[in-house]
């Protein structure tokens, strides 16, 4: 399975902050926003990842992340000249996916919690069409909403309904089989406006090949696309890191724990940032791992 991070869009909900910078390069407490979705894909065991963004922002992402080899990854970059909907990422990334399954994640979505890697691994194993990830929310009118029956079987999907059938929001993480780019292209040919991701998911549901995993209460999810949610998520990360003495979405640590790199390589990555508390943390993690 290969991954796609969609880090495009205009960031209009964050204006004027995003007038001169991509929102996915803004900090969520102590690291760039894009670190969080990248860490999520890495925890799913995915090493070949495509970053899609605006032509102006792509060089900045490439400067930040490079080719990924330091983390045991293969990173590639492609432009989206203007927003045409989330599902377009699968069309843009068709060559990258090379006829295989994919994990698509939005660049402003943050996932964290105990058991997240296991959740992702189980979802990969059960993939037959598409797997969505849902979370109960207090304001379902703001999201794409899934309706499930008593057994948890997905029954319907609706984008930002005025009268929601449930409070189960569809998050910005999606797993798809090898047919997703072709299905997205067919839908795009029939649409005049943006290609909503809900349209693609509904097409899978119509074929009875869509399921949803409801995230456990111990797994946090946030869409950081507004000033309020960006601040709240930063405060959440800050509190968690200070209280638990950890680093959320520390790419070097994730790469080490996933076996993508060894402790020496991890230590050297921290050494390059030794004047920061983040760099010191990476060095400490690698030393503890090496001594375990």
């Amino acid at each position: 399975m290969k991954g796609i991070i969609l880090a495009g869009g205009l960031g209009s909900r964050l204006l004027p902050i995003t007038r001169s910078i991509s929102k996915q390069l803004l900090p969520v407490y102590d690291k760039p926003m894009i670190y969080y979705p990248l860490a999520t894909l890495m925890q799913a065991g995915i090493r070949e990842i495509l970053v899609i963004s605006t032509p102006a922002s792509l060089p900045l992402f490439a400067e930040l992340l490079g080719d990924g080899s330091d983390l045991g990854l293969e990173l590639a970059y492609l432009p989206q000249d203007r927003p045409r909907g989330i599902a377009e990422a699968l069309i843009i990334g068709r060559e990258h996916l090379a006829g295989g399954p994919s994990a698509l994640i939005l660049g402003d979505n943050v996932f964290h919690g105990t058991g997240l890697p296991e959740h992702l691994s189980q979802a990969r194993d059960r993939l037959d069409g598409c797997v969505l990830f849902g979370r109960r929310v207090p304001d379902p009118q703001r999201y794409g909403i899934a309706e499930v029956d008593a057994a948890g079987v997905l029954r319907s999907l609706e984008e930002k309904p005025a009268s929601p059938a449930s409070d189960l929001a569809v998050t910005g993480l999606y797993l798809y089989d090898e047919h997703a780019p072709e299905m997205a292209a067919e839908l795009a040919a029939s649409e005049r406006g943006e290609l909503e991701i809900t349209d693609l998911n509904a097409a899978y549901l119509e074929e009875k090949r869509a399921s949803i995993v409801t995230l456990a209460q111990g797994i946090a999810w946030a869409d950081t696309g507004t000033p309020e949610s960006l601040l709240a998520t930063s405060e959440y990360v800050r509190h968690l890191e200070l209280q638990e003495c950890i680093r959320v979405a520390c790419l070097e640590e994730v790469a080490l724990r996933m076996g993508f790199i060894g402790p020496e390589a991890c230590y050297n990555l921290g050494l390059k940032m030794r004047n920061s508390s983040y760099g010191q943390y990476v060095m400490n993690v690698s030393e503890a791992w090496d001594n375990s």
Side-chain angles (χ1 to χ4, degrees):
M1 178 175 283
K2 297 182 180 182
I4 296 177
I5 301 175
L6 181 57
L10 302 176
S12 57
R13 293 181 296 167
L14 284 165
L15 286 170
I17 304 172
T18 50
R19 186 166 289 165
S20 61
I21 189 171
S22 167
K23 69 177 176 180
Q24 290 87 3
L25 291 170
L26 295 174
V28 176
Y29 183 45
D30 57 349
K31 59 194 75 70
M33 187 186 295
I34 197 170
Y35 271 42
Y36 296 85
L38 180 54
T40 298
L41 293 183
M42 291 169 66
Q43 289 178 85
I46 297 171
R47 304 177 72 166
E48 295 179 60
I49 298 168
L50 172 67
V51 177
I52 297 176
S53 189
T54 64
S57 296
L58 274 184
L60 301 177
F61 286 108
E63 182 178 359
L64 173 67
L65 301 171
D67 64 4
S69 58
D70 285 351
L71 297 169
L73 306 176
E74 294 180 27
L75 300 182
Y77 304 88
L78 282 176
Q80 183 186 44
D81 57 353
R82 65 181 180 86
R84 298 186 187 87
I86 296 169
E88 190 192 30
L90 294 161
I91 302 173
I92 295 172
R94 177 183 290 183
E95 186 173 339
H96 164 76
L97 298 177
S102 60
L104 170 61
I105 189 169
L106 304 188
D108 60 1
N109 271 225
V110 172
F111 296 85
H112 175 75
T114 303
L116 180 59
E118 290 75 14
H119 256 61
L120 299 174
S121 177
Q122 291 170 10
R124 285 186 63 174
D125 292 342
R126 66 182 281 190
L127 179 62
D128 178 20
C130 80
V131 176
L132 312 177
F133 294 84
R135 186 61 187 269
R136 304 287 177 185
V137 296
D139 48 355
Q141 296 86 352
R142 294 181 51 218
Y143 304 95
I145 293 299
E147 183 183 11
V148 298
D149 63 18
V153 176
L154 183 61
R155 293 303 183 194
S156 70
L157 295 165
E158 192 174 4
E159 185 66 25
K160 297 180 181 177
S163 300
S166 80
D167 61 353
L168 185 60
V170 179
T171 69
L173 174 61
Y174 319 89
L175 304 187
Y176 293 108
D177 67 9
E178 68 275 15
H179 302 296
E182 177 186 352
M183 293 175 65
E186 290 175 357
L187 286 169
S190 64
E191 296 286 341
R192 295 184 179 180
E194 290 189 0
L195 177 56
E196 296 286 356
I197 196 71
T198 301
D199 296 334
L200 176 61
N201 297 336
Y204 273 103
L205 180 58
E206 189 173 338
E207 296 179 356
K208 301 187 185 305
R209 296 196 304 122
S211 61
I212 189 164
V213 175
T214 301
L215 296 174
Q217 287 301 311
I219 298 177
W221 166 64
D223 170 353
T224 57
T226 68
E228 295 79 12
S229 61
L230 180 59
L231 178 60
T233 306
S234 293
E235 284 295 324
Y236 166 80
V237 172
R238 175 181 176 274
H239 175 78
L240 191 63
E241 291 190 351
L242 292 177
Q243 182 148 353
E244 302 293 334
C245 297
I246 62 171
R247 294 275 171 167
V248 178
C250 175
L251 300 183
E252 296 80 6
E253 181 179 15
V254 174
L256 177 63
R257 293 188 181 281
M258 294 299 299
F260 299 169
I261 60 174
E264 182 178 357
C266 184
Y267 182 88
N268 289 333
L269 290 174
L271 190 63
K272 295 177 182 178
M273 300 178 283
R274 60 185 177 274
N275 290 333
S276 70
S277 60
Y278 183 93
Q280 290 293 326
Y281 175 82
V282 172
M283 294 165 67
N284 292 339
V285 163
S286 62
E287 288 181 325
W289 187 272
D290 205 20
N291 294 328
S292 62

